[in-house]
């Protein structure tokens, strides 16, 4: 069960990510509970042709994502924020729902053996 406060923090998270992407930066989003054993950027550079890549959870893990500032990524973020309010769901569920329903999004999961 989540609270209204948690919901608003997740909206703020996606809004902040959207704002950075709108500035034209590539963005590696990492939750504070993620532990890095190696520099992820050499491997992530292989995914620069994608709009977004993410760690796999049961579905998508919104706690470790690498996003490129493409028009499609911007649409994904705007639509995910809207979906959070529309369906009253958290960021990870909204992103996953939108990713499944965006035909033009170039998305993939990171390899689980490197990004657990």
């Amino acid at each position: 069960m989540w609270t209204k406060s948690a919901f608003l923090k997740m909206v703020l998270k996606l809004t902040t990510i959207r704002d950075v992407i709108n500035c034209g930066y590539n963005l590696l989003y990492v939750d504070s509970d993620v532990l890095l054993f190696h520099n992820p950027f050499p491997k992530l550079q292989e995914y620069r042709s994608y709009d977004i890549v993410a760690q796999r959870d049961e579905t998508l893990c919104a706690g470790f994502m690498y996003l490129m500032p493409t028009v499609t990524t911007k649409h994904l973020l705007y639509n995910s924020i809207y979906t959070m309010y529309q369906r009253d769901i958290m960021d990870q569920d909204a992103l996953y729902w939108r990713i499944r329903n965006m035909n033009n999004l170039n998305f993939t999961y990171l390899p689980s053996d490197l990004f657990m």
Side-chain angles (χ1 to χ4, degrees), residues 39-100:
N39 178 358
F41 285 105
K43 187 64 179 174
L44 291 174
Q45 294 306 312
E46 298 174 18
Y47 295 92
R48 289 178 55 184
S49 63
Y50 287 87
D51 298 306
I52 177 176
V53 294
Q55 186 179 24
R56 185 184 301 270
D57 198 350
E58 291 176 20
T59 57
L60 164 101
C61 176
F64 193 96
M65 305 181 293
Y66 188 50
L67 303 98
M68 276 39 83
T70 65
V71 170
T72 309
T73 302
K74 293 173 186 178
H75 285 138
L76 169 67
L77 293 167
Y78 278 103
N79 291 333
S80 295
I81 293 164
Y82 174 77
T83 299
M84 288 180 72
Y85 283 108
Q86 180 187 39
R87 295 175 159 251
D88 198 29
I89 58 177
M90 295 301 267
D91 62 321
Q92 187 161 296
D93 298 323
L95 282 165
Y96 181 67
W97 191 86
R98 284 293 177 175
I99 286 170
R100 286 191 350 245

Side-chain angles (χ1 to χ4, degrees), residues 8-39:
L8 294 174
K9 288 175 186 170
M10 294 301 107
V11 169
L12 180 59
K13 169 186 164 180
L14 282 191
T15 303
T16 303
I17 290 170
R18 180 203 62 198
D19 291 348
V20 171
I21 291 297
N22 281 339
C23 289
Y25 295 105
N26 291 1
L27 175 72
L28 174 60
Y29 177 83
V30 181
D31 273 351
S32 62
D33 63 347
V34 172
L35 182 61
L36 299 174
F37 293 106
H38 301 284
N39 178 358

